[in-house]
């Protein structure tokens, strides 16, 4: 994207669209795989791990089985939350398919989606065998049954049939029980196409040898190639699969006598039975177990994350680049790390630094801290590239980390949205007090300028969503409902997709502790449904935050509240059943994004510069409104004292170095000439405070400059002048200490039209009576009823405006034949508050045509203080083609007197009838100098004066010139000499 286009996008959209392209590869909670002593199943912190091949041979990845007793998963990058039993699509007895009547044989299920398992893709049309005895398998040998788990210790992996087993609880079970009929099966399966998930549920199945009952489930996350990292289109695909989202989830609800009463076994194994995992933890009610795959290479290092610069940087502000590098292999590694920064528009290298001698243990990370780097002008896009060099690296495609940084001052607080997860219909319901909230972490406060909310489909009736800015309780935690919203705005649109809204002229400052948070909520602007949200998975989860609320007293994967009917509900649980029903995964936020100004924060947001680089708070004054002139109309020759509204939306009081100049400029839109430019100094003895500090000086002031007197224009077609007015505040000129970090908001622009004080005129004459014959011929005795349309061109309303109609005989020396006078009691002006009309129609009494002569009808306004007589009247003609030619009068270019001449000369000509006449002056080379006559001329003799100038009014040189007349078929030329 070019600098100009990117800057425009930021200015118009507060970076919402442009910055959405910024991605970061990793979350901050990076953690390497926990090592195991060997390739056998090993119990680790409530979970188990096993290689899919011995680690010292050809390590091609492992499956790790872990449960919800762990503080976090073994692979924090990428991280996907473990589901809970309460998630809607995991409870399938109402929507699922019951297996065929019990026969103690597995059910042969045909896959509807693909599933990646131990390096093999099982595709639609392949079979999965669902056993009533608590296991599933892709092995055709599984069709024979196998009610009892292997007797080997450990039971997984075992080479004997069946293989490819996935067993949440393998034991001899009876899926029927009283009072159900003996043929009623209690095993269900359900494929959820929306979430690309297959669930199998054993619903209160009974142990074969006793009456113990068990309610549990296995859920497979399907979805094909896109669930693998890297994607097949990614260059890193050359390394093979390094992570799989094809998770296996075991979910345990309840059992009547504990989970070990019938000696069930839990685990998975590969297609040959050589590799697998045996779960060694203790099953319990509401225990959730997941098996996931990630590959680790023997030698593999990677540039992991940019801690700084962030996606947005300030112009001219030095910042210290910091890059995290990780050893994600199995061996100790020694290597250098490189950082290059390019101007992305011209691909030129602007910064380069290398750190040699990194020495990292397996799973260890370190941070590369570089010398300070100074970004350039606002609107520039930089591309940061970090990469280690390890000669024996097994997977070089994951080494390089790239990220864009934009020089600007507006940012978008957002998460990485995943659109496919949940659909929440009718988000507003019928309750206009319902709101959904999104959590935003921040430290010390931030200027929130607005936001945008995503709705799936608008509802007819035009009900728009609102955006509400809420503080947190004590600045850190849940939304503070008792205080009400800090600001609320109705979005500009209600279309499907993003709908924006802005909080006032320059936003609202939200003060928080450090750390702290704020919330953006959204609801309907009126009663009734206003469309549906698309709920979205949080990918990745936000970083750990002390204000981050969650159910059960521990950090949870939800960052959303729902408010309605005076209560507050968190996440998908608590007590609100309808809310519980619509959410179908664990871990959601809502598609609301906040627009913020100078919104620095922790990774992945833009970090604030810190020592040893520039670390002063950012400066930003904005000229956000033109108080005077504020209307779109100004009056000619009436002085105006310009007044500009200036606010400090930076992070410190101003000025601290002397003065602030405010400037006012007026530009003529037609000529582009600057017609006025003056400024006023805002003295440093009257500092302007900043929005985040209520104890300092006012954060908004009004600057006035010397008066400006707009000039009007008297013109027959458009008696007005259009001006562009520019207000500007300047905060220093060079360097960060005395400069405005965000110059794009320094200027405010307003367009005004200057009108003459008093000016009315006739703009049209019409009458309904058609001519008696072709052209404009009316016979004597015919009647004409003239209506004149009068327009107020001026700045003031007018009263008692007289309008006169005169009819003259052109063929008889313009003798008056008839006249009439009408008065307009009141006519408004175009800038009137109530939009009343500023034109009026005047209908005169009927005129009886007196004769067949050429007659001129002229209608004019008669306003005593009219500033522009040029536009007062309109003229129309009748009977122009039937008048007799004056006896003996031919076409003629008559005398030029004097000739030669000094100063001016009079040129005479004659025409026998009304005809179009052209009278032009040429120099001796034939170049046109000026046009003296162009248009219809009445019969008779005429004269025109030439004062020796060209069409632009410039004096021409002495010499010989030619005067040429053309009229109908007549043409004549005479010579004239200018001394």
């Amino acid at each position: 994207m070019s600098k100009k286009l990117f800057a425009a996008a930021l200015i118009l959209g507060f970076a919402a669209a442009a910055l959405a392209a910024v991605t970061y590869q990793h979350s901050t909670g990076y953690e390497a795989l926990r090592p195991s002593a060997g390739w056998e199943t090993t119990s680790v912190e409530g979970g188990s791990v096993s290689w899919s091949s011995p680690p010292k041979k050809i390590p091609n990845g492992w499956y790790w089985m872990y449960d919800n007793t762990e503080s976090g998963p073994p692979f924090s990058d990428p991280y996907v939350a473990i589901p809970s039993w309460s998630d809607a699509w995991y409870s399938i007895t109402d929507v699922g398919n019951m297996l065929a009547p019990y026969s103690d044989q597995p059910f042969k299920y045909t896959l509807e989606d693909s599933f990646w398992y131990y390096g093999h893709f099982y595709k639609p049309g392949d079979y999965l065998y669902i056993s009533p005895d608590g296991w599933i398998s892709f092995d055709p040998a599984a069709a024979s049954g196998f009610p009892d788990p292997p007797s080997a210790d450990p039971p997984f992996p075992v080479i004997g049939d069946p293989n490819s087993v996935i067993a949440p609880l393998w034991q001899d079970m009876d899926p029927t029980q009283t009072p159900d009929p003996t043929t009623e099966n209690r095993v269900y399966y359900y494929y959820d196409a929306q979430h690309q998930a297959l669930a199998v549920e054993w619903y209160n199945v009974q142990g074969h040898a006793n009456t113990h009952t068990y309610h549990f489930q296995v859920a497979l996350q399907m979805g094909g190639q896109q669930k693998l990292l890297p994607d097949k289109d990614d260059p890193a695909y050359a390394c093979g699969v390094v992570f799989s989202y094809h998770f296996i989830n075991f979910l345990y609800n309840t059992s009547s006598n504990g989970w070990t009463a019938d000696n069930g076994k839990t685990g998975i194994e590969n297609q040959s039975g050589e590799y697998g995992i045996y779960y060694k933890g203790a099953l319990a009610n509401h225990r959730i177990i997941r098996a996931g795959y990630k590959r680790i290479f023997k030698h593999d290092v990677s540039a992991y994350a940019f801690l700084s610069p962030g996606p947005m940087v300030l112009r001219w502000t030095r910042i210290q680049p910091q890059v995290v590098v990780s050893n994600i292999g199995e061996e100790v590694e020694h290597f250098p790390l490189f950082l290059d920064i390019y101007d992305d528009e011209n691909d030129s290298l602007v910064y380069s630094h290398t750190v040699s001698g990194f020495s990292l243990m397996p799973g260890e990370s370190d941070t590369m801290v570089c010398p300070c780097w100074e970004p350039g002008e606002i609107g520039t896009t930089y591309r940061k590239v970090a990469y280690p060099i390890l000669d024996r690296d097994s997977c070089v495609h994951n080494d390089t980390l790239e990220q864009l940084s934009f020089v600007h001052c507006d940012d978008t607080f957002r998460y990485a949205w995943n659109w496919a997860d949940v659909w929440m219909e009718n988000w507003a319901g019928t309750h206009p007090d319902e709101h959904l909230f999104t959590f935003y972490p921040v430290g010390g406060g931030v200027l929130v300028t607005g936001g945008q909310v995503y709705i799936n489909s608008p509802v007819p009736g035009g009900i728009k969503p609102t955006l509400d800015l809420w503080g947190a309780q004590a600045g850190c935690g849940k939304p503070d409902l008792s205080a009400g919203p800090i600001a609320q705005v109705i979005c500009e649109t209600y279309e499907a997709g993003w709908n924006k809204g802005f909080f006032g002229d320059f936003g609202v400052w939200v003060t928080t502790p450090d750390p702290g948070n704020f919330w953006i909520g959204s609801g309907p602007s009126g009663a009734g449904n206003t469309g549906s949200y698309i709920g979205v998975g949080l990918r990745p989860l936000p970083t750990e935050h002390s204000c981050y609320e969650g159910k059960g007293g521990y950090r949870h994967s939800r960052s959303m509240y729902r408010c309605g009917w005076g209560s507050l509900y968190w996440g998908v649980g608590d007590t609100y059943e309808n809310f519980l029903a619509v959410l179908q995964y664990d871990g959601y936020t809502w598609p609301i994004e906040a627009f913020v100004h100078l919104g620095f924060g922790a990774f992945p947001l833009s970090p604030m510069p810190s020592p040893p680089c520039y670390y002063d708070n950012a400066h930003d004054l904005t000229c956000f409104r033109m108080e005077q002139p504020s209307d779109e109309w100004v009056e000619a020759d009436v002085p105006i004292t310009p007044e500009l509204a200036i606010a400090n939306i930076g992070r410190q009081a101003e000025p601290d170095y002397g003065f602030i100049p405010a400037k006012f400029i007026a530009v003529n839109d037609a000529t582009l000439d600057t017609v006025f430019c003056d400024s006023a100094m805002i003295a440093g003895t009257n500092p302007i405070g900043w929005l985040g500090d209520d104890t300092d000086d006012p954060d908004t002031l009004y600057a006035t400059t010397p008066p400006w007197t707009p000039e009007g224009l008297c013109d027959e077609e458009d008696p007005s002048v259009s001006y562009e007015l520019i207000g500007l505040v300047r905060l220093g000129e060079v360097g960060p200490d005395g400069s405005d970090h965000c110059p794009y908001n320094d200027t405010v622009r307003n367009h005004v039209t200057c009108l003459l004080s008093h000016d009315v005129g006739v703009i049209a004459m019409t009458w309904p009576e058609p001519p008696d014959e072709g052209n404009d011929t009316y016979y004597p005795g015919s009647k004409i009823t003239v209506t004149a349309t009068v327009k107020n061109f001026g700045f003031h309303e007018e009263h008692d405006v007289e309008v006169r109609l005169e009819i003259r005989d052109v063929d008889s020396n313009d003798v008056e034949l008839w006249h009439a006078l009408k008065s307009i009691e009141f006519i408004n002006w175009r800038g009137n508050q109530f939009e009343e009309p500023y034109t009026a129609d005047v209908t005169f009494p009927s005129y009886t045509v007196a004769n067949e002569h050429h007659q001129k009808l002229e209608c004019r306004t008669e306003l005593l203080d009219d500033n522009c007589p040029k536009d007062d009247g309109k003229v129309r003609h009748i009977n122009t083609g039937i008048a007799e030619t004056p006896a003996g009068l031919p076409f003629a270019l008559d005398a030029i007197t004097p000739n030669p001449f000094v100063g001016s000369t009079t040129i005479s000509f004659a025409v026998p009838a009304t005809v179009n006449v052209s009278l032009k002056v040429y120099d001796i080379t034939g170049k046109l100098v000026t046009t003296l006559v162009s248009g219809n001329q009445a019969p008779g003799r005429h004269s025109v004066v030439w004062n020796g100038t060209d069409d632009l009014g410039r004096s021409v040189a002495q010499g010989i010139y030619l005067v040429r007349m053309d009229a109908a078929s007549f043409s004549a030329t005479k010579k004239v000499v200018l001394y």
Side-chain angles (χ1 to χ4, degrees):
M1 179 182 292
S2 71
K3 295 179 183 178
K4 292 182 179 179
L5 289 177
F6 177 70
L10 288 172
I11 293 170
L12 295 176
F14 287 87
L19 294 181
V22 177
T23 59
Y24 52 94
Q25 281 83 335
H26 308 277
S27 59
T28 51
Y30 175 74
E31 182 179 0
L33 294 173
R34 303 182 180 111
S36 91
W39 63 273
E40 74 282 355
T41 297
T42 303
S43 179
V44 181
E45 298 180 17
S48 302
V49 61
S50 175
W51 291 98
S52 58
S53 66
K56 299 304 180 184
K57 294 182 179 179
I58 306 174
N60 59 5
W62 58 16
Y63 272 89
W64 184 301
M65 184 173 282
Y66 59 99
D67 59 40
N68 58 350
T69 64
E70 295 190 87
S71 59
F75 318 123
S76 57
D77 175 32
Y79 170 43
V80 180
I82 302 177
S84 68
W85 184 274
S86 62
D87 290 322
W89 74 267
Y90 288 107
S91 182
I92 65 172
T93 53
D94 293 332
V95 298
N97 303 287
M98 185 182 292
L99 295 190
Y102 176 59
S103 65
D104 203 25
Q105 296 299 308
F107 171 69
K108 189 177 181 180
Y109 169 74
T110 303
L111 293 180
E112 300 180 56
D113 200 347
S114 56
F115 183 73
W116 190 87
Y117 184 57
Y118 273 101
H120 180 77
F121 256 121
Y122 295 95
K123 300 177 181 179
D126 289 344
Y127 298 119
L128 176 69
Y129 297 89
I130 302 175
S131 171
D133 296 312
W135 53 267
I136 60 177
S137 172
F138 295 101
D139 188 350
S144 299
F146 304 98
D148 298 314
S151 58
D153 186 17
F156 300 100
V158 173
I159 295 177
D161 291 339
N163 293 315
S164 296
V165 170
I166 299 172
L169 189 65
W170 189 350
Q171 60 189 21
D172 191 5
M173 289 187 290
D174 184 354
T176 65
Q177 59 176 318
T178 55
D180 291 341
T182 58
T183 58
E184 190 73 15
N185 205 323
R186 285 178 171 266
V187 182
Y188 298 80
Y189 67 92
Y190 175 64
Y191 174 68
D192 186 337
Q194 179 181 352
H195 302 98
Q196 297 180 300
L198 172 67
V200 178
E201 184 170 342
W202 290 262
Y203 176 65
N204 287 347
V205 293
Q206 190 171 358
H208 181 70
N210 48 55
T211 59
H212 305 151
T213 59
Y214 304 89
H215 186 194
F216 61 96
Q217 193 178 94
V218 61
L220 305 182
Q221 179 63 66
M222 299 185 149
Q225 182 72 46
Q226 65 269 26
K227 294 293 183 180
L228 299 179
L229 293 182
D231 184 86
K232 61 182 177 63
D233 296 324
D234 192 317
Y237 190 69
C239 301
V241 175
V242 296
F243 187 86
S244 172
Y245 283 99
H246 290 266
F247 296 121
I248 301 168
N249 299 303
F250 296 158
L251 299 95
Y252 302 87
N253 191 22
T254 58
S255 64
S256 63
N257 197 34
W259 292 91
T260 59
D262 290 287
N263 198 30
K265 307 300 181 183
T266 299
I268 64 173
E269 66 177 9
N270 76 336
Q271 292 83 354
S272 66
E274 297 178 85
Y275 309 115
I277 306 174
Y278 170 41
Y279 179 68
K280 290 186 176 182
L283 298 184
N285 290 352
H286 305 298
R287 176 61 44 82
I288 312 296
I289 301 172
R290 167 172 284 173
Y293 173 91
K294 186 170 184 179
R295 184 178 184 186
I296 188 170
F297 296 90
K298 187 176 183 67
H299 303 286
D300 193 13
V301 295
S302 175
Y304 167 69
F306 284 105
L307 299 183
S308 67
M312 186 267 287
V313 292
L314 290 178
R315 68 168 184 165
W316 309 340
T317 303
R318 301 171 75 218
I319 191 168
Q320 191 169 48
Q322 298 185 37
V323 184
V324 176
V325 61
S326 300
N327 181 358
I328 55 178
E330 296 183 85
E331 301 289 339
V332 177
E333 304 293 0
H334 307 276
F335 58 92
L337 181 64
F338 298 83
L339 171 64
D340 296 330
I341 301 179
Y342 296 86
D343 185 320
D344 196 54
E345 184 172 7
N346 53 35
D347 203 32
S348 60
L349 182 67
V350 297
Y351 178 93
S352 184
H353 184 69
T354 304
V355 173
S356 302
F358 278 101
S359 182
L360 297 180
M361 299 288 290
E364 188 178 11
S365 299
D366 200 356
T367 300
M368 174 186 184
V369 180
C370 306
C372 298
W373 166 64
E374 183 175 303
E377 186 53 80
I378 193 167
T380 306
T381 305
Y382 292 100
R383 177 166 49 91
K384 303 166 297 190
V385 183
Y387 54 97
I389 297 295
L390 181 65
D391 292 337
R392 57 181 182 173
D393 198 309
S394 304
C395 186
V396 296
H397 295 285
N398 62 7
D399 293 357
T400 303
L401 178 67
E402 288 194 25
Q403 187 189 68
L404 297 179
S405 286
F406 306 110
V407 184
H408 212 265
C409 39
D410 288 326
D411 208 348
T412 304
F413 275 22
R414 63 198 174 279
Y415 296 116
W417 305 111
N418 178 345
W419 300 103
D421 289 339
V422 64
W423 191 290
M424 183 176 182
E425 293 287 352
N426 300 329
W427 59 272
T430 56
H431 299 272
D433 58 347
E434 277 189 80
H435 286 76
L436 299 172
F437 296 81
T438 298
F439 170 97
Y440 295 102
V442 69
V446 67
L447 179 61
V448 184
T449 56
Q452 59 182 357
V453 57
Y454 194 99
I455 62 175
N456 177 59
S457 58
V459 166
I463 298 176
K464 300 177 181 179
T466 65
L467 286 173
D468 313 314
L469 177 62
W470 295 76
Q473 295 178 10
C476 182
K478 299 179 180 180
D480 189 358
L481 298 183
S482 61
I486 300 172
Q488 183 181 75
V489 66
I490 298 175
C491 290
E492 300 169 349
T493 58
Y494 59 100
E495 62 192 10
W498 289 109
N499 297 267
K500 297 179 181 180
F502 297 93
F503 299 127
D505 291 305
F506 48 82
V508 178
W509 180 268
V510 180
T511 300
T512 70
D514 190 3
N517 69 282
F518 70 95
W519 299 82
I520 297 258
S522 184
S525 60
N529 299 335
T530 61
S532 60
Y533 272 126
I534 292 180
V536 291
L538 204 54
R539 303 283 192 271
L541 291 173
T543 56
E544 195 77 40
H545 197 275
S546 59
C547 303
Y548 202 109
E549 296 290 332
K551 287 194 334 180
Y554 58 89
R555 180 179 182 269
H556 203 265
S557 58
R558 304 179 178 93
S559 63
M560 182 276 298
Y561 280 94
R562 179 182 192 276
C563 171
W565 300 283
S567 300
L568 185 67
Y569 300 99
W570 170 259
V572 298
D574 299 318
T575 60
Y576 188 60
E577 294 79 9
N578 290 341
F579 198 37
L580 174 67
V582 297
L583 294 177
Q584 303 178 15
Y585 263 96
D586 185 19
Y588 295 95
T589 184
W590 292 97
I592 305 172
E593 295 183 342
F595 300 154
V596 295
H597 184 65
L598 297 173
F600 301 99
F603 173 85
L605 303 176
S606 301
M608 190 71 176
S610 59
C613 305
Y614 173 72
Y615 58 93
D616 193 10
N617 283 316
H619 305 262
D620 187 20
L621 291 188
T622 176
C623 184
F624 67 93
R625 189 169 59 236
M626 191 171 291
E627 298 291 327
Q628 290 295 333
S630 59
D631 201 358
E632 60 179 312
W633 312 101
V634 293
E635 186 176 3
D637 303 321
V638 176
I640 297 172
T641 299
E643 185 178 29
L644 306 174
I646 296 170
N648 184 355
I649 56 176
R651 289 177 173 260
Q652 59 182 302
E654 304 288 358
D656 56 2
Y657 63 92
F659 60 85
I660 302 171
K663 183 176 292 187
F664 177 82
I665 303 168
V667 178
N668 186 309
D669 276 337
T671 64
L672 300 181
D673 293 330
T674 297
V675 298
F676 182 87
C677 179
D678 213 331
S679 61
M681 298 298 177
I682 304 170
T685 56
N686 299 307
I688 178 173
W690 66 292
L691 290 171
D693 188 354
D694 295 331
T695 62
D696 62 11
D697 297 280
D699 51 49
T700 303
L701 55 79
Y702 300 90
T704 59
T705 68
W708 165 58
T709 302
E711 296 180 0
L713 175 67
C714 178
D715 182 82
E716 185 175 354
E717 297 298 326
D718 183 15
S720 64
V721 182
S722 177
Y723 292 101
E724 180 184 28
L725 307 182
I726 303 169
L728 175 67
V729 62
R730 303 291 295 179
L731 182 60
E733 298 294 338
V734 294
D737 295 314
S739 295
D740 196 310
H741 286 91
C742 193
Y744 86 85
N745 58 19
D746 294 355
T747 304
V748 64
R749 297 175 184 270
N750 186 24
H751 286 269
V752 299
T753 301
C754 180
L755 305 177
L756 300 172
S757 297
H758 302 281
D759 184 18
V760 294
V762 177
I763 59 173
M765 292 172 59
T766 60
W767 54 81
E769 295 85 1
D772 296 324
E773 285 190 8
N775 298 326
D776 54 6
T777 301
Y778 290 84
Y779 295 139
S782 298
K783 293 185 179 296
I784 297 176
T785 306
V786 176
T787 296
T789 301
V790 177
K791 180 177 180 178
N792 184 357
F793 297 103
F795 189 80
H796 296 281
E797 63 185 51
E798 302 292 352
H799 299 266
D800 302 321
V801 178
E802 291 190 347
V803 187
R804 178 182 297 273
L805 173 62
E806 292 182 348
I807 302 177
R808 295 181 176 274
D809 189 332
V810 176
D811 293 337
S812 301
N813 295 318
D814 279 348
V815 63
E816 182 179 296
L817 300 175
W818 187 86
H819 77 270
L821 187 66
K822 298 281 285 188
S823 179
I824 301 174
E825 183 177 347
F826 171 79
I827 184 170
N828 219 316
W829 72 294
R830 70 184 79 182
N832 67 82
Q833 181 179 1
F834 302 105
E835 298 183 354
E836 295 176 357
Y838 53 94
T839 61
D841 288 336
V842 177
T843 300
F844 293 94
S846 296
Y847 161 65
T848 301
V849 177
N851 55 46
E852 293 184 348
H853 290 185
H854 173 196
Q855 299 173 37
K856 178 174 68 176
L857 289 73
E858 181 175 9
C859 188
R860 301 183 61 85
T861 56
E862 296 182 350
L863 186 67
L864 292 179
D865 52 357
D866 196 307
N867 297 121
C868 186
K870 286 184 179 181
D871 58 19
D872 287 356
K874 285 291 181 182
V875 174
R876 288 190 61 180
H877 295 263
I878 64 172
N879 296 347
T880 59
I882 65 173
E884 293 291 336
T885 300
L889 185 65
F891 287 102
L893 176 57
D894 291 331
I896 301 177
T897 305
N899 185 13
F901 73 96
V902 176
S904 64
T905 186
T906 300
I907 303 167
S908 300
F909 63 93
V911 292
T914 299
V915 68
N916 188 287
V917 176
S918 170
L919 188 66
K920 298 181 178 181
V921 179
Y922 297 84
D923 65 17
I924 197 66
T925 66
K927 181 180 178 182
L928 177 66
V929 175
T930 186
T931 299
L932 301 176
V933 175
S934 179
N936 283 338
Q937 300 295 310
R941 299 190 183 278
H942 304 271
S943 62
V944 63
V945 175
W946 180 42
N947 59 5
T949 61
D950 62 13
D951 276 338
L952 298 179
R954 299 171 298 190
S955 297
V956 298
Q958 296 178 355
I960 299 173
Y961 293 87
L962 302 175
V963 178
R964 178 183 176 88
M965 174 184 170
D966 292 281
S969 59
F970 174 80
S971 180
T973 302
K974 286 185 178 292
K975 182 172 64 176
V976 62
V977 179
L978 170 63
Y979 280 153

